[in-house]
Amino acid sequence: MSGTEDGGMEDGGMEGGGMGGAGLEGAREGSGAKAGATAGSATEDSGEKAGTTEDGAGEDGGSSDGGTGRRGTPTVRPAATAPARRAASPTARRTATRTGQYAALLAYLAFLAFPFLWLISTAFKPPRELGSIHPTWIPEAPTLENFRQAFAQQPLLAAAGNSLLAAALSALSAIVLATPMAYVLARYRNRLSRAATGWVVISQAFPLVLVIIPLFLILKGIHLVDSRIGLIMVYVVWSLPFALWMLTGYVRAVPPELEEAAAVDGAGRVRTLVSVTAPLLAPGIVATALFAFITAWNEFFFALVLLKSPGKQTLPVVLTHFLGTEGVADLGPLAAAALLATLPSLLLFAVIQRRITGGMLAGAVKN
Amino acid sequence: MRHDNTPTPPARIPRRGLLAAAAALPAAALLPGCSDDRRRRTSGGRITLRFQSLAWQQDSLKVNKQLVAEWNRQHPTVQVQYVQGAWPTVHDQLLTSFEGGEAPDIIHDATDDLADFAYGGDLADLTALLPPRLRRDIPQQSWETATFDGRIHGVPFLQEPRVLIANRATLHRSRVRIPTPENPWTWEEFADVAQRLTRGTDHGVAWPLKEPVSATLNLALSTGGRMFHRRPDGTVEVRFDAVDQVVPRTIHDQVNVDRSASRTTLGMGGSDTLPGFFAGRCAMVPLGFSYRQQIVQQAPKGFDWTVLPAPKGTALDQGVSPQTLSIAEDCPHKEAAMAFIDFLLRPPNMVRLALGDWLLPTGQEALRDPALRVARYDWATGTALAGSLRSAPAQSVRGYPEWKDKVATPGLQEYYSGAIDLDTLRKRLVRDGNLVLARYQR
């Protein structure tokens, strides 16, 4: 395409993020939705756990004797004393609530899944079906030609390798840095730690374009432009606040009584952290690592601006090579490449999901 | 000092040191990836130049890579490395590349994106480097598109006229006169034809105006509209005179008065209108010449379409922003880079590039090539329009991008949708527009 149109070519990217056209948006939506789902579920998870544990802790503190004998046993009203007609009503209410919850969840899932399912459908459609005014979910003449073209046109495998390296190393670094910080913030609560947590939350509101130029200049000053190390450093810094915030919640969910019990049994501080706290934190660490990985895997703008050599470009950047001017896209190959780009994080989440369970703390503290 | 004879035990590496070394390994593996630009560009007397191409279509990619390979075979001492860029992100990518000293040596872009880089000193002045053959082959009107402050900062090589892509069967059924490049429709005639082609919910025309500014400005050149006027002191002012208003008013009336144009396509890009076009929902779509490739790929079997010239006003002129090849000011081997550009734009190669991108070459010799004069896919219609393509009026104006985004795009979108009248549009474009431009001209 010629540069006849000026769409998105003059000024913009620094203001607008310079994102690609609809195809890429779609692709990113797919993965973005996934990332959202991931983060969402992970957070929900942690929230649930935290909730459960807090409750637990509350009960513990409030109802069990906790070995102190200061509180009596809670009075539990026997079910037999409740009238039968009043027992039916809560059951019906519970059923209705549960049905509503499932309906809302299904609607939310459909909303999240639509872009991804449409991406799958588009990836297997021949060009003539892409131009149809009556698009179908199932391609009438499914083809693998889009995949063949995508691989023939762009170095997708090399780009995926670059993305994998950046995402894995940045996730690992973020976890190594965030875990001890989160422990400190969760366990030593004072005015300073509360201010630090507040700052972490506020920092999430900073837009990308606010930091890109200062970051670029800093990295240029230390010769880390067009360097994978530079990009990974940026990813770590970018994902660290949220990772810290997430992990703090997980640390709070681990009852301090466990550490106290270990100390009573003679374990030192390090032994307690390694043998008692860390295993209980594992699901939280996995969830946070997954979040950091997917954030880096899907990231586009930093990679575009910081990496210049073709051999270092990451997958989201390479996906834009299927786009022309004026939002025109080589839609079939773009959809095929975007689908392949979403699969690793999807598979990773599917594999790790079982590890992110809220039940690991069940029974840890005796109530 | 030791005086006993006990052998010194081997030095033990502390565990902490081992751990640190292990942690440093992945980082060490990454170190070769750190930038060392100068070392990469010259090794053992051999020069390596980086050519960032924005080719994105299958055929175009193939041609660009083939030409680079051919050059490398013929020039063992000046090797060219093909680097892939992308149209939607090229501005940001170049901006930071220049800032970071990592810019490619040979840069593929478009004239409407060059102003900032040209005025900012990032692009080399090619005036003295251009080979006479290349200078002669490309007409002056094309050179003007890449000239800033009297200096040539890019070689314009591919250009795209706006055309009307029409459903041939519908045209024949309605018995309208079929326009030719020699005898195109006037804007009034075009409006009449669009009305005649409108039947019920099927419209005569569908304007894809997601990016309304360049379409409006470039087509308005046919009625003498320029909108940007340079004063004797070199500053630019925005005016919205009667000649500037013909094209916007025609589009507005088609959408809001006689309803011969579809309202729903106003917010669409060109590709989005194609399914409706194939389904007969509209008889004509004003699009860039290269959209023929998508039509060939996507149109249902047996769908009969044709390319018509855009309507004319006082002339058939329209503004274009050709694709260009530039050289970075930082490039240490400008003559070698120019030699590569000269090779890339030899007439036969220019024809290959034009065919690969479904565009028109700027070179006169390439335009005469029989491959671009065939009736198939209406290549001949487009080639006949090449002489009427002029420099887009806005592209050398500093502050144009901001004027476009903040003033003109919302203004034109509201006007085309019927939310504001022509007088309100004029006030916005001129008053607000001149305020924006003034900031760039202090």
Side-chain angles (χ1 to χ4, degrees), chain A residues 1-3 5-6 9-11 13 18 128 216 220 308 312 321 328, chain B residues 33 89 91-92 96 99 113 160 162 214 290 294 299 323 400 405:
Chain A
M1 287 285 281
S2 84
E5 287 293 342
D6 39 21
M9 274 200 292
E10 294 94 332
D11 62 321
R128 288 200 200 289
F216 181 84
K220 186 189 164 189
K308 305 301 176 191
K312 296 174 190 171
H321 298 165
V328 181
Chain B
T89 55
H91 189 87
D92 302 345
T96 50
E99 187 60 40
D113 193 41
E160 179 169 39
R162 277 174 199 281
S214 62
S290 65
Q294 283 195 54
Q323 293 185 24
Y400 165 71
D405 291 342

PDB file of all heavy atoms in Angstrom, chain A residues 1-3 5-6 9-11 13 18 128 216 220 308 312 321 328, chain B residues 33 89 91-92 96 99 113 160 162 214 290 294 299 323 400 405:
ATOM      1  N   MET A   1       0.848  -1.186   0.000  1.00  0.00           N
ATOM      2  CA  MET A   1       0.000   0.000   0.000  1.00  0.00           C
ATOM      3  C   MET A   1       0.875   1.225   0.000  1.00  0.00           C
ATOM      4  O   MET A   1       1.931   1.262   0.560  1.00  0.00           O
ATOM      5  CB  MET A   1      -0.845   0.077   1.276  1.00  0.00           C
ATOM      6  CG  MET A   1      -1.955  -0.892   1.354  1.00  0.00           C
ATOM      7  SD  MET A   1      -3.352  -0.582   0.370  1.00  0.00           S
ATOM      8  CE  MET A   1      -4.219   0.614   1.254  1.00  0.00           C
ATOM      9  N   SER A   2       0.385   2.186  -0.564  1.00  0.00           N
ATOM     10  CA  SER A   2       1.130   3.410  -0.560  1.00  0.00           C
ATOM     11  C   SER A   2       0.806   4.180   0.647  1.00  0.00           C
ATOM     12  O   SER A   2      -0.107   3.944   1.373  1.00  0.00           O
ATOM     13  CB  SER A   2       0.795   4.225  -1.788  1.00  0.00           C
ATOM     14  OG  SER A   2      -0.317   4.933  -1.577  1.00  0.00           O
ATOM     15  N   GLY A   3       1.607   5.153   0.825  1.00  0.00           N
ATOM     16  CA  GLY A   3       1.330   6.033   1.935  1.00  0.00           C
ATOM     17  C   GLY A   3       0.350   7.107   1.570  1.00  0.00           C
ATOM     18  O   GLY A   3       0.416   8.228   2.014  1.00  0.00           O
ATOM     19  N   GLU A   5      -2.688   7.380   2.436  1.00  0.00           N
ATOM     20  CA  GLU A   5      -3.412   7.752   3.646  1.00  0.00           C
ATOM     21  C   GLU A   5      -2.421   8.129   4.711  1.00  0.00           C
ATOM     22  O   GLU A   5      -1.302   7.660   4.752  1.00  0.00           O
ATOM     23  CB  GLU A   5      -4.248   6.554   4.125  1.00  0.00           C
ATOM     24  CG  GLU A   5      -5.438   6.278   3.286  1.00  0.00           C
ATOM     25  CD  GLU A   5      -6.484   7.364   3.360  1.00  0.00           C
ATOM     26  OE1 GLU A   5      -6.478   8.171   4.288  1.00  0.00           O
ATOM     27  OE2 GLU A   5      -7.308   7.433   2.467  1.00  0.00           O
ATOM     28  N   ASP A   6      -2.884   8.926   5.601  1.00  0.00           N
ATOM     29  CA  ASP A   6      -1.978   9.274   6.680  1.00  0.00           C
ATOM     30  C   ASP A   6      -2.387   8.617   7.956  1.00  0.00           C
ATOM     31  O   ASP A   6      -1.990   8.979   9.016  1.00  0.00           O
ATOM     32  CB  ASP A   6      -1.876  10.784   6.847  1.00  0.00           C
ATOM     33  CG  ASP A   6      -3.197  11.451   6.651  1.00  0.00           C
ATOM     34  OD1 ASP A   6      -4.216  10.801   6.778  1.00  0.00           O
ATOM     35  OD2 ASP A   6      -3.227  12.627   6.378  1.00  0.00           O
ATOM     36  N   MET A   9       0.241   7.560  10.743  1.00  0.00           N
ATOM     37  CA  MET A   9       1.648   7.564  10.385  1.00  0.00           C
ATOM     38  C   MET A   9       2.385   8.829  10.764  1.00  0.00           C
ATOM     39  O   MET A   9       3.587   8.861  10.745  1.00  0.00           O
ATOM     40  CB  MET A   9       1.796   7.316   8.890  1.00  0.00           C
ATOM     41  CG  MET A   9       1.820   5.850   8.568  1.00  0.00           C
ATOM     42  SD  MET A   9       2.524   5.524   6.994  1.00  0.00           S
ATOM     43  CE  MET A   9       1.395   6.176   5.859  1.00  0.00           C
ATOM     44  N   GLU A  10       1.653   9.856  11.059  1.00  0.00           N
ATOM     45  CA  GLU A  10       2.438  11.049  11.293  1.00  0.00           C
ATOM     46  C   GLU A  10       2.885  11.217  12.711  1.00  0.00           C
ATOM     47  O   GLU A  10       4.036  11.380  13.005  1.00  0.00           O
ATOM     48  CB  GLU A  10       1.662  12.314  10.944  1.00  0.00           C
ATOM     49  CG  GLU A  10       1.375  12.437   9.527  1.00  0.00           C
ATOM     50  CD  GLU A  10       0.055  11.891   9.163  1.00  0.00           C
ATOM     51  OE1 GLU A  10      -0.424  10.996   9.828  1.00  0.00           O
ATOM     52  OE2 GLU A  10      -0.501  12.328   8.199  1.00  0.00           O
ATOM     53  N   ASP A  11       1.954  11.221  13.588  1.00  0.00           N
ATOM     54  CA  ASP A  11       2.373  11.696  14.880  1.00  0.00           C
ATOM     55  C   ASP A  11       2.142  10.700  15.923  1.00  0.00           C
ATOM     56  O   ASP A  11       2.690  10.642  16.948  1.00  0.00           O
ATOM     57  CB  ASP A  11       1.580  12.948  15.250  1.00  0.00           C
ATOM     58  CG  ASP A  11       0.133  12.691  15.353  1.00  0.00           C
ATOM     59  OD1 ASP A  11      -0.404  11.958  14.579  1.00  0.00           O
ATOM     60  OD2 ASP A  11      -0.515  13.229  16.195  1.00  0.00           O
ATOM     61  N   GLY A  13       1.881   7.617  17.028  1.00  0.00           N
ATOM     62  CA  GLY A  13       2.064   6.548  17.927  1.00  0.00           C
ATOM     63  C   GLY A  13       2.412   6.947  19.303  1.00  0.00           C
ATOM     64  O   GLY A  13       1.990   6.340  20.237  1.00  0.00           O
ATOM     65  N   GLY A  18       0.439   3.836  18.891  1.00  0.00           N
ATOM     66  CA  GLY A  18       0.887   3.286  17.620  1.00  0.00           C
ATOM     67  C   GLY A  18       0.453   1.873  17.371  1.00  0.00           C
ATOM     68  O   GLY A  18       1.110   1.113  16.719  1.00  0.00           O
ATOM     69  N   ARG A 128     -12.233 -15.725   0.150  1.00  0.00           N
ATOM     70  CA  ARG A 128     -13.597 -15.413  -0.303  1.00  0.00           C
ATOM     71  C   ARG A 128     -14.595 -15.406   0.851  1.00  0.00           C
ATOM     72  O   ARG A 128     -15.555 -14.655   0.841  1.00  0.00           O
ATOM     73  CB  ARG A 128     -14.053 -16.412  -1.368  1.00  0.00           C
ATOM     74  CG  ARG A 128     -13.341 -16.177  -2.668  1.00  0.00           C
ATOM     75  CD  ARG A 128     -14.008 -16.752  -3.888  1.00  0.00           C
ATOM     76  NE  ARG A 128     -13.024 -16.875  -4.952  1.00  0.00           N
ATOM     77  CZ  ARG A 128     -12.495 -15.851  -5.609  1.00  0.00           C
ATOM     78  NH1 ARG A 128     -12.861 -14.624  -5.328  1.00  0.00           N
ATOM     79  NH2 ARG A 128     -11.587 -16.040  -6.548  1.00  0.00           N
ATOM     80  N   PHE A 216      13.146   5.203  27.668  1.00  0.00           N
ATOM     81  CA  PHE A 216      13.987   5.065  26.474  1.00  0.00           C
ATOM     82  C   PHE A 216      15.302   5.820  26.663  1.00  0.00           C
ATOM     83  O   PHE A 216      16.377   5.298  26.343  1.00  0.00           O
ATOM     84  CB  PHE A 216      13.236   5.589  25.249  1.00  0.00           C
ATOM     85  CG  PHE A 216      14.013   5.475  23.968  1.00  0.00           C
ATOM     86  CD1 PHE A 216      14.023   4.290  23.250  1.00  0.00           C
ATOM     87  CD2 PHE A 216      14.757   6.541  23.484  1.00  0.00           C
ATOM     88  CE1 PHE A 216      14.752   4.169  22.079  1.00  0.00           C
ATOM     89  CE2 PHE A 216      15.492   6.433  22.316  1.00  0.00           C
ATOM     90  CZ  PHE A 216      15.480   5.248  21.609  1.00  0.00           C
ATOM     91  N   LYS A 220      18.928   4.275  26.832  1.00  0.00           N
ATOM     92  CA  LYS A 220      19.907   4.730  25.844  1.00  0.00           C
ATOM     93  C   LYS A 220      21.201   5.137  26.553  1.00  0.00           C
ATOM     94  O   LYS A 220      22.304   4.827  26.092  1.00  0.00           O
ATOM     95  CB  LYS A 220      19.316   5.910  25.067  1.00  0.00           C
ATOM     96  CG  LYS A 220      20.179   6.377  23.917  1.00  0.00           C
ATOM     97  CD  LYS A 220      19.632   7.673  23.333  1.00  0.00           C
ATOM     98  CE  LYS A 220      20.671   8.349  22.472  1.00  0.00           C
ATOM     99  NZ  LYS A 220      20.264   9.702  22.065  1.00  0.00           N
ATOM    100  N   LYS A 308      15.388  -2.914  17.922  1.00  0.00           N
ATOM    101  CA  LYS A 308      15.516  -2.455  16.543  1.00  0.00           C
ATOM    102  C   LYS A 308      15.970  -3.566  15.584  1.00  0.00           C
ATOM    103  O   LYS A 308      15.644  -3.550  14.416  1.00  0.00           O
ATOM    104  CB  LYS A 308      16.526  -1.291  16.467  1.00  0.00           C
ATOM    105  CG  LYS A 308      16.198  -0.137  17.396  1.00  0.00           C
ATOM    106  CD  LYS A 308      14.833   0.450  17.096  1.00  0.00           C
ATOM    107  CE  LYS A 308      14.433   1.532  18.076  1.00  0.00           C
ATOM    108  NZ  LYS A 308      13.033   1.909  17.947  1.00  0.00           N
ATOM    109  N   LYS A 312      15.752  -9.729  16.965  1.00  0.00           N
ATOM    110  CA  LYS A 312      15.337  -9.656  18.375  1.00  0.00           C
ATOM    111  C   LYS A 312      13.847  -9.371  18.535  1.00  0.00           C
ATOM    112  O   LYS A 312      13.350  -9.336  19.654  1.00  0.00           O
ATOM    113  CB  LYS A 312      16.125  -8.542  19.078  1.00  0.00           C
ATOM    114  CG  LYS A 312      17.609  -8.794  19.133  1.00  0.00           C
ATOM    115  CD  LYS A 312      18.340  -7.599  19.710  1.00  0.00           C
ATOM    116  CE  LYS A 312      19.845  -7.759  19.531  1.00  0.00           C
ATOM    117  NZ  LYS A 312      20.549  -6.531  19.893  1.00  0.00           N
ATOM    118  N   HIS A 321       3.475  -6.787  11.076  1.00  0.00           N
ATOM    119  CA  HIS A 321       4.002  -6.838   9.714  1.00  0.00           C
ATOM    120  C   HIS A 321       2.969  -7.356   8.722  1.00  0.00           C
ATOM    121  O   HIS A 321       3.198  -7.321   7.516  1.00  0.00           O
ATOM    122  CB  HIS A 321       5.274  -7.695   9.657  1.00  0.00           C
ATOM    123  CG  HIS A 321       6.385  -7.150  10.496  1.00  0.00           C
ATOM    124  ND1 HIS A 321       7.501  -7.884  10.836  1.00  0.00           N
ATOM    125  CD2 HIS A 321       6.555  -5.947  11.088  1.00  0.00           C
ATOM    126  CE1 HIS A 321       8.297  -7.150  11.601  1.00  0.00           C
ATOM    127  NE2 HIS A 321       7.738  -5.973  11.770  1.00  0.00           N
ATOM    128  N   VAL A 328      -5.639  -1.584   6.611  1.00  0.00           N
ATOM    129  CA  VAL A 328      -5.795  -2.768   5.757  1.00  0.00           C
ATOM    130  C   VAL A 328      -4.905  -3.869   6.314  1.00  0.00           C
ATOM    131  O   VAL A 328      -3.811  -3.601   6.789  1.00  0.00           O
ATOM    132  CB  VAL A 328      -5.370  -2.446   4.311  1.00  0.00           C
ATOM    133  CG1 VAL A 328      -5.557  -3.659   3.419  1.00  0.00           C
ATOM    134  CG2 VAL A 328      -6.176  -1.299   3.785  1.00  0.00           C
TER     135      VAL A 328
ATOM    136  N   GLY B  33      23.649 -10.029  22.278  1.00  0.00           N
ATOM    137  CA  GLY B  33      22.556  -9.303  21.658  1.00  0.00           C
ATOM    138  C   GLY B  33      22.660  -7.807  21.842  1.00  0.00           C
ATOM    139  O   GLY B  33      21.936  -7.056  21.245  1.00  0.00           O
ATOM    140  N   THR B  89       3.200   1.306  12.559  1.00  0.00           N
ATOM    141  CA  THR B  89       4.090   1.678  13.668  1.00  0.00           C
ATOM    142  C   THR B  89       5.367   2.362  13.201  1.00  0.00           C
ATOM    143  O   THR B  89       6.242   2.641  14.006  1.00  0.00           O
ATOM    144  CB  THR B  89       4.488   0.413  14.451  1.00  0.00           C
ATOM    145  OG1 THR B  89       5.067  -0.524  13.533  1.00  0.00           O
ATOM    146  CG2 THR B  89       3.301  -0.227  15.139  1.00  0.00           C
ATOM    147  N   HIS B  91       6.216   5.327  12.242  1.00  0.00           N
ATOM    148  CA  HIS B  91       6.591   6.647  12.752  1.00  0.00           C
ATOM    149  C   HIS B  91       7.251   6.537  14.133  1.00  0.00           C
ATOM    150  O   HIS B  91       8.324   7.089  14.363  1.00  0.00           O
ATOM    151  CB  HIS B  91       5.375   7.566  12.810  1.00  0.00           C
ATOM    152  CG  HIS B  91       5.735   8.983  13.127  1.00  0.00           C
ATOM    153  ND1 HIS B  91       6.091   9.898  12.160  1.00  0.00           N
ATOM    154  CD2 HIS B  91       5.833   9.640  14.303  1.00  0.00           C
ATOM    155  CE1 HIS B  91       6.380  11.053  12.726  1.00  0.00           C
ATOM    156  NE2 HIS B  91       6.231  10.926  14.029  1.00  0.00           N
ATOM    157  N   ASP B  92       6.591   5.834  15.044  1.00  0.00           N
ATOM    158  CA  ASP B  92       7.142   5.657  16.394  1.00  0.00           C
ATOM    159  C   ASP B  92       8.484   4.943  16.345  1.00  0.00           C
ATOM    160  O   ASP B  92       9.426   5.292  17.052  1.00  0.00           O
ATOM    161  CB  ASP B  92       6.210   4.800  17.264  1.00  0.00           C
ATOM    162  CG  ASP B  92       4.841   5.405  17.361  1.00  0.00           C
ATOM    163  OD1 ASP B  92       4.703   6.589  17.015  1.00  0.00           O
ATOM    164  OD2 ASP B  92       3.924   4.687  17.773  1.00  0.00           O
ATOM    165  N   THR B  96      12.094   6.718  17.559  1.00  0.00           N
ATOM    166  CA  THR B  96      12.963   6.216  18.626  1.00  0.00           C
ATOM    167  C   THR B  96      14.273   5.666  18.067  1.00  0.00           C
ATOM    168  O   THR B  96      15.299   5.708  18.741  1.00  0.00           O
ATOM    169  CB  THR B  96      12.245   5.134  19.458  1.00  0.00           C
ATOM    170  OG1 THR B  96      11.694   4.175  18.566  1.00  0.00           O
ATOM    171  CG2 THR B  96      11.123   5.730  20.290  1.00  0.00           C
ATOM    172  N   GLU B  99      16.449   8.630  17.610  1.00  0.00           N
ATOM    173  CA  GLU B  99      16.831   9.114  18.940  1.00  0.00           C
ATOM    174  C   GLU B  99      17.905   8.214  19.546  1.00  0.00           C
ATOM    175  O   GLU B  99      18.828   8.690  20.195  1.00  0.00           O
ATOM    176  CB  GLU B  99      15.585   9.133  19.839  1.00  0.00           C
ATOM    177  CG  GLU B  99      15.780   9.759  21.185  1.00  0.00           C
ATOM    178  CD  GLU B  99      16.207  11.221  21.119  1.00  0.00           C
ATOM    179  OE1 GLU B  99      15.689  11.958  20.265  1.00  0.00           O
ATOM    180  OE2 GLU B  99      17.076  11.604  21.916  1.00  0.00           O
ATOM    181  N   ASP B 113       4.855  11.242   5.956  1.00  0.00           N
ATOM    182  CA  ASP B 113       5.428  10.914   7.265  1.00  0.00           C
ATOM    183  C   ASP B 113       6.839  11.489   7.417  1.00  0.00           C
ATOM    184  O   ASP B 113       7.454  11.339   8.457  1.00  0.00           O
ATOM    185  CB  ASP B 113       5.470   9.386   7.433  1.00  0.00           C
ATOM    186  CG  ASP B 113       5.749   8.970   8.865  1.00  0.00           C
ATOM    187  OD1 ASP B 113       5.191   9.604   9.783  1.00  0.00           O
ATOM    188  OD2 ASP B 113       6.541   8.033   9.077  1.00  0.00           O
ATOM    189  N   GLU B 160      -0.366   5.980  -5.240  1.00  0.00           N
ATOM    190  CA  GLU B 160      -1.689   5.344  -5.312  1.00  0.00           C
ATOM    191  C   GLU B 160      -2.787   6.372  -5.567  1.00  0.00           C
ATOM    192  O   GLU B 160      -3.105   7.176  -4.688  1.00  0.00           O
ATOM    193  CB  GLU B 160      -1.987   4.620  -3.998  1.00  0.00           C
ATOM    194  CG  GLU B 160      -3.341   3.954  -4.001  1.00  0.00           C
ATOM    195  CD  GLU B 160      -3.546   3.024  -2.824  1.00  0.00           C
ATOM    196  OE1 GLU B 160      -3.109   3.369  -1.708  1.00  0.00           O
ATOM    197  OE2 GLU B 160      -4.147   1.971  -3.032  1.00  0.00           O
ATOM    198  N   ARG B 162      -6.643   7.622  -5.964  1.00  0.00           N
ATOM    199  CA  ARG B 162      -7.971   7.188  -5.510  1.00  0.00           C
ATOM    200  C   ARG B 162      -8.834   6.983  -6.740  1.00  0.00           C
ATOM    201  O   ARG B 162      -8.819   7.812  -7.653  1.00  0.00           O
ATOM    202  CB  ARG B 162      -8.615   8.271  -4.645  1.00  0.00           C
ATOM    203  CG  ARG B 162      -8.168   8.215  -3.238  1.00  0.00           C
ATOM    204  CD  ARG B 162      -8.684   9.364  -2.428  1.00  0.00           C
ATOM    205  NE  ARG B 162      -7.851   9.479  -1.246  1.00  0.00           N
ATOM    206  CZ  ARG B 162      -7.995   8.687  -0.191  1.00  0.00           C
ATOM    207  NH1 ARG B 162      -8.941   7.772  -0.154  1.00  0.00           N
ATOM    208  NH2 ARG B 162      -7.195   8.822   0.853  1.00  0.00           N
ATOM    209  N   SER B 214      -7.437  12.935   4.830  1.00  0.00           N
ATOM    210  CA  SER B 214      -6.617  12.831   3.622  1.00  0.00           C
ATOM    211  C   SER B 214      -7.486  12.574   2.398  1.00  0.00           C
ATOM    212  O   SER B 214      -7.199  13.093   1.318  1.00  0.00           O
ATOM    213  CB  SER B 214      -5.555  11.748   3.774  1.00  0.00           C
ATOM    214  OG  SER B 214      -6.162  10.516   3.953  1.00  0.00           O
ATOM    215  N   SER B 290      -4.839   0.167  -4.917  1.00  0.00           N
ATOM    216  CA  SER B 290      -4.299  -1.135  -4.506  1.00  0.00           C
ATOM    217  C   SER B 290      -5.362  -2.065  -3.937  1.00  0.00           C
ATOM    218  O   SER B 290      -5.116  -3.258  -3.763  1.00  0.00           O
ATOM    219  CB  SER B 290      -3.195  -0.950  -3.463  1.00  0.00           C
ATOM    220  OG  SER B 290      -3.743  -0.398  -2.290  1.00  0.00           O
ATOM    221  N   GLN B 294      -7.337  -6.979  -2.927  1.00  0.00           N
ATOM    222  CA  GLN B 294      -8.289  -7.595  -1.999  1.00  0.00           C
ATOM    223  C   GLN B 294      -9.551  -8.025  -2.728  1.00  0.00           C
ATOM    224  O   GLN B 294     -10.143  -9.045  -2.406  1.00  0.00           O
ATOM    225  CB  GLN B 294      -8.650  -6.602  -0.904  1.00  0.00           C
ATOM    226  CG  GLN B 294      -7.558  -6.472   0.129  1.00  0.00           C
ATOM    227  CD  GLN B 294      -8.078  -5.773   1.372  1.00  0.00           C
ATOM    228  OE1 GLN B 294      -9.069  -6.164   1.964  1.00  0.00           O
ATOM    229  NE2 GLN B 294      -7.391  -4.725   1.753  1.00  0.00           N
ATOM    230  N   ALA B 299     -13.573 -11.342  -3.792  1.00  0.00           N
ATOM    231  CA  ALA B 299     -14.862 -11.222  -4.485  1.00  0.00           C
ATOM    232  C   ALA B 299     -15.433 -12.599  -4.803  1.00  0.00           C
ATOM    233  O   ALA B 299     -14.677 -13.520  -5.134  1.00  0.00           O
ATOM    234  CB  ALA B 299     -14.694 -10.426  -5.764  1.00  0.00           C
ATOM    235  N   GLN B 323       5.057   6.524  -1.706  1.00  0.00           N
ATOM    236  CA  GLN B 323       6.029   5.809  -0.882  1.00  0.00           C
ATOM    237  C   GLN B 323       7.426   6.284  -1.278  1.00  0.00           C
ATOM    238  O   GLN B 323       7.666   6.616  -2.437  1.00  0.00           O
ATOM    239  CB  GLN B 323       5.918   4.302  -1.113  1.00  0.00           C
ATOM    240  CG  GLN B 323       4.620   3.712  -0.622  1.00  0.00           C
ATOM    241  CD  GLN B 323       4.601   2.200  -0.754  1.00  0.00           C
ATOM    242  OE1 GLN B 323       5.645   1.553  -0.784  1.00  0.00           O
ATOM    243  NE2 GLN B 323       3.405   1.638  -0.809  1.00  0.00           N
ATOM    244  N   TYR B 400       0.524  19.707  10.825  1.00  0.00           N
ATOM    245  CA  TYR B 400      -0.608  19.070  10.144  1.00  0.00           C
ATOM    246  C   TYR B 400      -1.136  17.858  10.912  1.00  0.00           C
ATOM    247  O   TYR B 400      -2.358  17.723  11.073  1.00  0.00           O
ATOM    248  CB  TYR B 400      -0.218  18.679   8.716  1.00  0.00           C
ATOM    249  CG  TYR B 400      -1.193  17.709   8.064  1.00  0.00           C
ATOM    250  CD1 TYR B 400      -2.461  18.122   7.680  1.00  0.00           C
ATOM    251  CD2 TYR B 400      -0.838  16.375   7.876  1.00  0.00           C
ATOM    252  CE1 TYR B 400      -3.348  17.223   7.099  1.00  0.00           C
ATOM    253  CE2 TYR B 400      -1.713  15.480   7.307  1.00  0.00           C
ATOM    254  CZ  TYR B 400      -2.965  15.901   6.918  1.00  0.00           C
ATOM    255  OH  TYR B 400      -3.849  15.017   6.361  1.00  0.00           O
ATOM    256  N   ASP B 405      -5.682  15.428  13.680  1.00  0.00           N
ATOM    257  CA  ASP B 405      -6.260  14.612  14.756  1.00  0.00           C
ATOM    258  C   ASP B 405      -7.219  15.398  15.635  1.00  0.00           C
ATOM    259  O   ASP B 405      -8.260  14.888  16.038  1.00  0.00           O
ATOM    260  CB  ASP B 405      -5.144  14.018  15.631  1.00  0.00           C
ATOM    261  CG  ASP B 405      -4.337  12.967  14.882  1.00  0.00           C
ATOM    262  OD1 ASP B 405      -4.830  12.467  13.857  1.00  0.00           O
ATOM    263  OD2 ASP B 405      -3.210  12.679  15.309  1.00  0.00           O
TER     264      ASP B 405
END
